[in-house]
Amino acid sequence: MNDIKNMGKNSVHAYRCDVADREEVFRVAEKVKKEVGDVTILVNNAGIAFVKSFFNHSLDEIRRVIDVNVTAHYWTLKAFLPSMIEKNYGHIVALSSVAGLIGAPYGTVYCPTKFAVKAIMEAMSEELNELSNGKSSVKFTTVYPALVLTGLSKKPKIRFPRLMGGLLPRDVASSIIDAQRLNYKNKGIPSHWLSLSTILRHLPDEALRCILDFFDTGVYPED
């Protein structure tokens, strides 16, 4: 925030909010509306993970990941989407993941939440299109980044770094902005991931297993 203001961008506002807390989301949304105005671009980016085997996840960890990675989307959509529908103008951007395209070891909690983001966005977009008889101008963009070097995964496993190395947060942020401005419905980062995942899903199970074993990319457990 301070870095942005030091760049001379004074029309920047920051609000602290626990997106997993329904009442706090609604309270902050109302505060934003009063102080800034209606939100026209919503980026649902919040996500957490505990990189460990399913049996080593505590019940609280499972609940927390689902609350932040999935349920929070419903609260922010409830808070900000109605004004977009009313004005017939706005854009929802949500961060899924490559882990939301193909399940992986030590992602038995995280991966399903990212699959869920994809489903929420697809269903919401189609529902709004039907309710408006095809006249809705509210846009939806789902982004699927590969491994981003944010520290969320402390022990990445990458067999071919030049091909499948980690992405810098600044570069990913720039790609997300581009995807929104260009009105992509779905955007992989790098872009080849979406088409590659589609191809892989059409392969026989044994062929898919051999390819995944060869690339041997993922994360090491932290437990």
Side-chain angles (χ1 to χ4, degrees), residues 80-107:
F80 297 108
L81 184 56
S83 66
M84 297 184 189
I85 294 174
E86 182 181 354
K87 292 178 171 58
N88 198 26
Y89 178 78
H91 204 130
I92 306 293
V93 181
L95 272 292
S96 180
S97 170
V98 168
L101 299 171
I102 298 178
Y106 312 113

PDB file of all heavy atoms in Angstrom, residues 80-107:
ATOM      1  N   PHE A  80     -20.875  -8.038  -3.589  1.00  0.00           N
ATOM      2  CA  PHE A  80     -20.520  -7.117  -4.676  1.00  0.00           C
ATOM      3  C   PHE A  80     -21.243  -7.364  -6.000  1.00  0.00           C
ATOM      4  O   PHE A  80     -21.362  -6.443  -6.813  1.00  0.00           O
ATOM      5  CB  PHE A  80     -19.011  -7.161  -4.919  1.00  0.00           C
ATOM      6  CG  PHE A  80     -18.195  -6.707  -3.748  1.00  0.00           C
ATOM      7  CD1 PHE A  80     -17.465  -7.611  -2.984  1.00  0.00           C
ATOM      8  CD2 PHE A  80     -18.165  -5.370  -3.384  1.00  0.00           C
ATOM      9  CE1 PHE A  80     -16.708  -7.191  -1.895  1.00  0.00           C
ATOM     10  CE2 PHE A  80     -17.417  -4.941  -2.296  1.00  0.00           C
ATOM     11  CZ  PHE A  80     -16.691  -5.850  -1.549  1.00  0.00           C
ATOM     12  N   LEU A  81     -21.709  -8.576  -6.234  1.00  0.00           N
ATOM     13  CA  LEU A  81     -22.328  -8.871  -7.531  1.00  0.00           C
ATOM     14  C   LEU A  81     -23.668  -8.161  -7.746  1.00  0.00           C
ATOM     15  O   LEU A  81     -23.951  -7.736  -8.874  1.00  0.00           O
ATOM     16  CB  LEU A  81     -22.492 -10.387  -7.702  1.00  0.00           C
ATOM     17  CG  LEU A  81     -23.029 -10.880  -9.045  1.00  0.00           C
ATOM     18  CD1 LEU A  81     -22.174 -10.371 -10.198  1.00  0.00           C
ATOM     19  CD2 LEU A  81     -23.096 -12.413  -9.063  1.00  0.00           C
ATOM     20  N   PRO A  82     -24.518  -7.995  -6.725  1.00  0.00           N
ATOM     21  CA  PRO A  82     -25.814  -7.353  -6.970  1.00  0.00           C
ATOM     22  C   PRO A  82     -25.718  -5.969  -7.619  1.00  0.00           C
ATOM     23  O   PRO A  82     -26.507  -5.649  -8.517  1.00  0.00           O
ATOM     24  CB  PRO A  82     -26.435  -7.274  -5.565  1.00  0.00           C
ATOM     25  CG  PRO A  82     -25.869  -8.451  -4.853  1.00  0.00           C
ATOM     26  CD  PRO A  82     -24.447  -8.542  -5.344  1.00  0.00           C
ATOM     27  N   SER A  83     -24.772  -5.133  -7.183  1.00  0.00           N
ATOM     28  CA  SER A  83     -24.656  -3.801  -7.779  1.00  0.00           C
ATOM     29  C   SER A  83     -24.189  -3.890  -9.229  1.00  0.00           C
ATOM     30  O   SER A  83     -24.570  -3.065 -10.070  1.00  0.00           O
ATOM     31  CB  SER A  83     -23.697  -2.930  -6.965  1.00  0.00           C
ATOM     32  OG  SER A  83     -22.364  -3.420  -7.033  1.00  0.00           O
ATOM     33  N   MET A  84     -23.363  -4.902  -9.548  1.00  0.00           N
ATOM     34  CA  MET A  84     -22.944  -5.094 -10.935  1.00  0.00           C
ATOM     35  C   MET A  84     -24.142  -5.484 -11.801  1.00  0.00           C
ATOM     36  O   MET A  84     -24.295  -5.000 -12.928  1.00  0.00           O
ATOM     37  CB  MET A  84     -21.859  -6.175 -11.019  1.00  0.00           C
ATOM     38  CG  MET A  84     -20.564  -5.848 -10.306  1.00  0.00           C
ATOM     39  SD  MET A  84     -19.319  -7.148 -10.577  1.00  0.00           S
ATOM     40  CE  MET A  84     -18.045  -6.651  -9.417  1.00  0.00           C
ATOM     41  N   ILE A  85     -24.975  -6.381 -11.261  1.00  0.00           N
ATOM     42  CA  ILE A  85     -26.164  -6.810 -12.005  1.00  0.00           C
ATOM     43  C   ILE A  85     -27.114  -5.632 -12.211  1.00  0.00           C
ATOM     44  O   ILE A  85     -27.674  -5.448 -13.289  1.00  0.00           O
ATOM     45  CB  ILE A  85     -26.861  -7.960 -11.252  1.00  0.00           C
ATOM     46  CG1 ILE A  85     -25.961  -9.210 -11.238  1.00  0.00           C
ATOM     47  CG2 ILE A  85     -28.206  -8.279 -11.902  1.00  0.00           C
ATOM     48  CD1 ILE A  85     -26.498 -10.348 -10.409  1.00  0.00           C
ATOM     49  N   GLU A  86     -27.277  -4.831 -11.171  1.00  0.00           N
ATOM     50  CA  GLU A  86     -28.174  -3.670 -11.253  1.00  0.00           C
ATOM     51  C   GLU A  86     -27.737  -2.695 -12.346  1.00  0.00           C
ATOM     52  O   GLU A  86     -28.554  -2.164 -13.093  1.00  0.00           O
ATOM     53  CB  GLU A  86     -28.217  -2.957  -9.904  1.00  0.00           C
ATOM     54  CG  GLU A  86     -29.151  -1.759  -9.863  1.00  0.00           C
ATOM     55  CD  GLU A  86     -29.140  -1.059  -8.519  1.00  0.00           C
ATOM     56  OE1 GLU A  86     -28.495  -1.567  -7.575  1.00  0.00           O
ATOM     57  OE2 GLU A  86     -29.777   0.013  -8.416  1.00  0.00           O
ATOM     58  N   LYS A  87     -26.427  -2.475 -12.446  1.00  0.00           N
ATOM     59  CA  LYS A  87     -25.897  -1.540 -13.449  1.00  0.00           C
ATOM     60  C   LYS A  87     -25.587  -2.237 -14.773  1.00  0.00           C
ATOM     61  O   LYS A  87     -25.223  -1.583 -15.752  1.00  0.00           O
ATOM     62  CB  LYS A  87     -24.628  -0.868 -12.899  1.00  0.00           C
ATOM     63  CG  LYS A  87     -24.886   0.080 -11.744  1.00  0.00           C
ATOM     64  CD  LYS A  87     -23.584   0.664 -11.233  1.00  0.00           C
ATOM     65  CE  LYS A  87     -23.843   1.777 -10.227  1.00  0.00           C
ATOM     66  NZ  LYS A  87     -24.642   1.337  -9.077  1.00  0.00           N
ATOM     67  N   ASN A  88     -25.695  -3.576 -14.750  1.00  0.00           N
ATOM     68  CA  ASN A  88     -25.342  -4.390 -15.925  1.00  0.00           C
ATOM     69  C   ASN A  88     -23.935  -4.072 -16.399  1.00  0.00           C
ATOM     70  O   ASN A  88     -23.667  -3.904 -17.592  1.00  0.00           O
ATOM     71  CB  ASN A  88     -26.338  -4.200 -17.071  1.00  0.00           C
ATOM     72  CG  ASN A  88     -26.253  -5.338 -18.092  1.00  0.00           C
ATOM     73  OD1 ASN A  88     -25.857  -6.455 -17.753  1.00  0.00           O
ATOM     74  ND2 ASN A  88     -26.625  -5.065 -19.321  1.00  0.00           N
ATOM     75  N   TYR A  89     -23.033  -4.003 -15.424  1.00  0.00           N
ATOM     76  CA  TYR A  89     -21.639  -3.681 -15.728  1.00  0.00           C
ATOM     77  C   TYR A  89     -20.760  -4.177 -14.582  1.00  0.00           C
ATOM     78  O   TYR A  89     -21.037  -3.908 -13.416  1.00  0.00           O
ATOM     79  CB  TYR A  89     -21.461  -2.170 -15.882  1.00  0.00           C
ATOM     80  CG  TYR A  89     -20.030  -1.739 -16.150  1.00  0.00           C
ATOM     81  CD1 TYR A  89     -19.486  -1.867 -17.416  1.00  0.00           C
ATOM     82  CD2 TYR A  89     -19.248  -1.233 -15.122  1.00  0.00           C
ATOM     83  CE1 TYR A  89     -18.169  -1.483 -17.661  1.00  0.00           C
ATOM     84  CE2 TYR A  89     -17.931  -0.846 -15.359  1.00  0.00           C
ATOM     85  CZ  TYR A  89     -17.397  -0.971 -16.634  1.00  0.00           C
ATOM     86  OH  TYR A  89     -16.094  -0.596 -16.871  1.00  0.00           O
ATOM     87  N   GLY A  90     -19.707  -4.894 -14.934  1.00  0.00           N
ATOM     88  CA  GLY A  90     -18.781  -5.353 -13.907  1.00  0.00           C
ATOM     89  C   GLY A  90     -18.022  -6.581 -14.360  1.00  0.00           C
ATOM     90  O   GLY A  90     -18.298  -7.158 -15.425  1.00  0.00           O
ATOM     91  N   HIS A  91     -17.048  -6.964 -13.562  1.00  0.00           N
ATOM     92  CA  HIS A  91     -16.196  -8.093 -13.928  1.00  0.00           C
ATOM     93  C   HIS A  91     -15.778  -8.840 -12.671  1.00  0.00           C
ATOM     94  O   HIS A  91     -15.251  -8.239 -11.729  1.00  0.00           O
ATOM     95  CB  HIS A  91     -14.951  -7.593 -14.676  1.00  0.00           C
ATOM     96  CG  HIS A  91     -14.340  -8.629 -15.572  1.00  0.00           C
ATOM     97  ND1 HIS A  91     -14.016  -8.375 -16.888  1.00  0.00           N
ATOM     98  CD2 HIS A  91     -13.992  -9.920 -15.349  1.00  0.00           C
ATOM     99  CE1 HIS A  91     -13.488  -9.473 -17.431  1.00  0.00           C
ATOM    100  NE2 HIS A  91     -13.467 -10.419 -16.506  1.00  0.00           N
ATOM    101  N   ILE A  92     -16.022 -10.142 -12.650  1.00  0.00           N
ATOM    102  CA  ILE A  92     -15.589 -11.016 -11.562  1.00  0.00           C
ATOM    103  C   ILE A  92     -14.381 -11.813 -12.041  1.00  0.00           C
ATOM    104  O   ILE A  92     -14.439 -12.470 -13.084  1.00  0.00           O
ATOM    105  CB  ILE A  92     -16.700 -12.000 -11.146  1.00  0.00           C
ATOM    106  CG1 ILE A  92     -17.993 -11.263 -10.797  1.00  0.00           C
ATOM    107  CG2 ILE A  92     -16.225 -12.861  -9.978  1.00  0.00           C
ATOM    108  CD1 ILE A  92     -17.913 -10.402  -9.569  1.00  0.00           C
ATOM    109  N   VAL A  93     -13.299 -11.760 -11.297  1.00  0.00           N
ATOM    110  CA  VAL A  93     -12.094 -12.544 -11.592  1.00  0.00           C
ATOM    111  C   VAL A  93     -11.836 -13.462 -10.403  1.00  0.00           C
ATOM    112  O   VAL A  93     -11.880 -13.016  -9.252  1.00  0.00           O
ATOM    113  CB  VAL A  93     -10.870 -11.634 -11.821  1.00  0.00           C
ATOM    114  CG1 VAL A  93      -9.638 -12.472 -12.150  1.00  0.00           C
ATOM    115  CG2 VAL A  93     -11.144 -10.625 -12.932  1.00  0.00           C
ATOM    116  N   ALA A  94     -11.593 -14.726 -10.669  1.00  0.00           N
ATOM    117  CA  ALA A  94     -11.331 -15.667  -9.581  1.00  0.00           C
ATOM    118  C   ALA A  94     -10.084 -16.479  -9.888  1.00  0.00           C
ATOM    119  O   ALA A  94      -9.858 -16.887 -11.037  1.00  0.00           O
ATOM    120  CB  ALA A  94     -12.515 -16.603  -9.353  1.00  0.00           C
ATOM    121  N   LEU A  95      -9.295 -16.727  -8.854  1.00  0.00           N
ATOM    122  CA  LEU A  95      -8.067 -17.502  -8.997  1.00  0.00           C
ATOM    123  C   LEU A  95      -8.322 -18.958  -8.643  1.00  0.00           C
ATOM    124  O   LEU A  95      -8.570 -19.288  -7.482  1.00  0.00           O
ATOM    125  CB  LEU A  95      -6.970 -16.923  -8.102  1.00  0.00           C
ATOM    126  CG  LEU A  95      -6.103 -15.809  -8.689  1.00  0.00           C
ATOM    127  CD1 LEU A  95      -5.221 -16.331  -9.796  1.00  0.00           C
ATOM    128  CD2 LEU A  95      -6.968 -14.664  -9.184  1.00  0.00           C
ATOM    129  N   SER A  96      -8.287 -19.783  -9.662  1.00  0.00           N
ATOM    130  CA  SER A  96      -8.244 -21.222  -9.449  1.00  0.00           C
ATOM    131  C   SER A  96      -6.766 -21.598  -9.435  1.00  0.00           C
ATOM    132  O   SER A  96      -5.967 -20.887  -8.829  1.00  0.00           O
ATOM    133  CB  SER A  96      -9.018 -21.969 -10.533  1.00  0.00           C
ATOM    134  OG  SER A  96      -8.971 -23.361 -10.334  1.00  0.00           O
ATOM    135  N   SER A  97      -6.373 -22.653 -10.103  1.00  0.00           N
ATOM    136  CA  SER A  97      -4.977 -23.088 -10.102  1.00  0.00           C
ATOM    137  C   SER A  97      -4.827 -24.245 -11.070  1.00  0.00           C
ATOM    138  O   SER A  97      -5.820 -24.906 -11.423  1.00  0.00           O
ATOM    139  CB  SER A  97      -4.583 -23.532  -8.690  1.00  0.00           C
ATOM    140  OG  SER A  97      -3.320 -24.181  -8.690  1.00  0.00           O
ATOM    141  N   VAL A  98      -3.592 -24.499 -11.485  1.00  0.00           N
ATOM    142  CA  VAL A  98      -3.313 -25.738 -12.202  1.00  0.00           C
ATOM    143  C   VAL A  98      -3.719 -26.921 -11.326  1.00  0.00           C
ATOM    144  O   VAL A  98      -4.162 -27.965 -11.821  1.00  0.00           O
ATOM    145  CB  VAL A  98      -1.819 -25.812 -12.581  1.00  0.00           C
ATOM    146  CG1 VAL A  98      -1.449 -27.200 -13.051  1.00  0.00           C
ATOM    147  CG2 VAL A  98      -1.516 -24.794 -13.673  1.00  0.00           C
ATOM    148  N   ALA A  99      -3.633 -26.731 -10.002  1.00  0.00           N
ATOM    149  CA  ALA A  99      -4.062 -27.768  -9.056  1.00  0.00           C
ATOM    150  C   ALA A  99      -5.570 -27.938  -9.064  1.00  0.00           C
ATOM    151  O   ALA A  99      -6.091 -28.871  -8.441  1.00  0.00           O
ATOM    152  CB  ALA A  99      -3.587 -27.415  -7.647  1.00  0.00           C
ATOM    153  N   GLY A 100      -6.288 -27.051  -9.748  1.00  0.00           N
ATOM    154  CA  GLY A 100      -7.724 -27.200  -9.923  1.00  0.00           C
ATOM    155  C   GLY A 100      -8.073 -27.858 -11.239  1.00  0.00           C
ATOM    156  O   GLY A 100      -9.242 -27.947 -11.613  1.00  0.00           O
ATOM    157  N   LEU A 101      -7.069 -28.332 -11.956  1.00  0.00           N
ATOM    158  CA  LEU A 101      -7.269 -29.035 -13.220  1.00  0.00           C
ATOM    159  C   LEU A 101      -6.898 -30.502 -13.113  1.00  0.00           C
ATOM    160  O   LEU A 101      -7.531 -31.353 -13.730  1.00  0.00           O
ATOM    161  CB  LEU A 101      -6.424 -28.377 -14.329  1.00  0.00           C
ATOM    162  CG  LEU A 101      -6.736 -26.908 -14.627  1.00  0.00           C
ATOM    163  CD1 LEU A 101      -5.700 -26.332 -15.583  1.00  0.00           C
ATOM    164  CD2 LEU A 101      -8.140 -26.763 -15.202  1.00  0.00           C
ATOM    165  N   ILE A 102      -5.859 -30.780 -12.330  1.00  0.00           N
ATOM    166  CA  ILE A 102      -5.408 -32.162 -12.117  1.00  0.00           C
ATOM    167  C   ILE A 102      -5.043 -32.316 -10.645  1.00  0.00           C
ATOM    168  O   ILE A 102      -4.235 -31.553 -10.119  1.00  0.00           O
ATOM    169  CB  ILE A 102      -4.182 -32.498 -12.997  1.00  0.00           C
ATOM    170  CG1 ILE A 102      -4.540 -32.380 -14.478  1.00  0.00           C
ATOM    171  CG2 ILE A 102      -3.668 -33.898 -12.688  1.00  0.00           C
ATOM    172  CD1 ILE A 102      -3.378 -32.638 -15.418  1.00  0.00           C
ATOM    173  N   GLY A 103      -5.637 -33.283  -9.968  1.00  0.00           N
ATOM    174  CA  GLY A 103      -5.347 -33.518  -8.560  1.00  0.00           C
ATOM    175  C   GLY A 103      -3.914 -33.981  -8.357  1.00  0.00           C
ATOM    176  O   GLY A 103      -3.293 -34.547  -9.264  1.00  0.00           O
ATOM    177  N   ALA A 104      -3.380 -33.731  -7.172  1.00  0.00           N
ATOM    178  CA  ALA A 104      -1.981 -34.056  -6.903  1.00  0.00           C
ATOM    179  C   ALA A 104      -1.818 -34.530  -5.465  1.00  0.00           C
ATOM    180  O   ALA A 104      -2.614 -34.176  -4.586  1.00  0.00           O
ATOM    181  CB  ALA A 104      -1.099 -32.831  -7.143  1.00  0.00           C
ATOM    182  N   PRO A 105      -0.780 -35.333  -5.209  1.00  0.00           N
ATOM    183  CA  PRO A 105      -0.506 -35.754  -3.831  1.00  0.00           C
ATOM    184  C   PRO A 105      -0.285 -34.551  -2.921  1.00  0.00           C
ATOM    185  O   PRO A 105       0.243 -33.528  -3.350  1.00  0.00           O
ATOM    186  CB  PRO A 105       0.788 -36.572  -3.968  1.00  0.00           C
ATOM    187  CG  PRO A 105       0.818 -37.025  -5.396  1.00  0.00           C
ATOM    188  CD  PRO A 105       0.177 -35.921  -6.169  1.00  0.00           C
ATOM    189  N   TYR A 106      -0.726 -34.698  -1.682  1.00  0.00           N
ATOM    190  CA  TYR A 106      -0.622 -33.650  -0.650  1.00  0.00           C
ATOM    191  C   TYR A 106      -1.495 -32.439  -0.979  1.00  0.00           C
ATOM    192  O   TYR A 106      -1.323 -31.386  -0.395  1.00  0.00           O
ATOM    193  CB  TYR A 106       0.839 -33.241  -0.420  1.00  0.00           C
ATOM    194  CG  TYR A 106       1.735 -34.448  -0.251  1.00  0.00           C
ATOM    195  CD1 TYR A 106       2.704 -34.753  -1.199  1.00  0.00           C
ATOM    196  CD2 TYR A 106       1.568 -35.305   0.828  1.00  0.00           C
ATOM    197  CE1 TYR A 106       3.495 -35.885  -1.072  1.00  0.00           C
ATOM    198  CE2 TYR A 106       2.350 -36.450   0.967  1.00  0.00           C
ATOM    199  CZ  TYR A 106       3.312 -36.735   0.008  1.00  0.00           C
ATOM    200  OH  TYR A 106       4.086 -37.860   0.137  1.00  0.00           O
ATOM    201  N   GLY A 107      -2.420 -32.647  -1.919  1.00  0.00           N
ATOM    202  CA  GLY A 107      -3.374 -31.596  -2.247  1.00  0.00           C
ATOM    203  C   GLY A 107      -4.809 -32.072  -2.077  1.00  0.00           C
ATOM    204  O   GLY A 107      -5.713 -31.554  -2.738  1.00  0.00           O
TER     205      GLY A 107
END
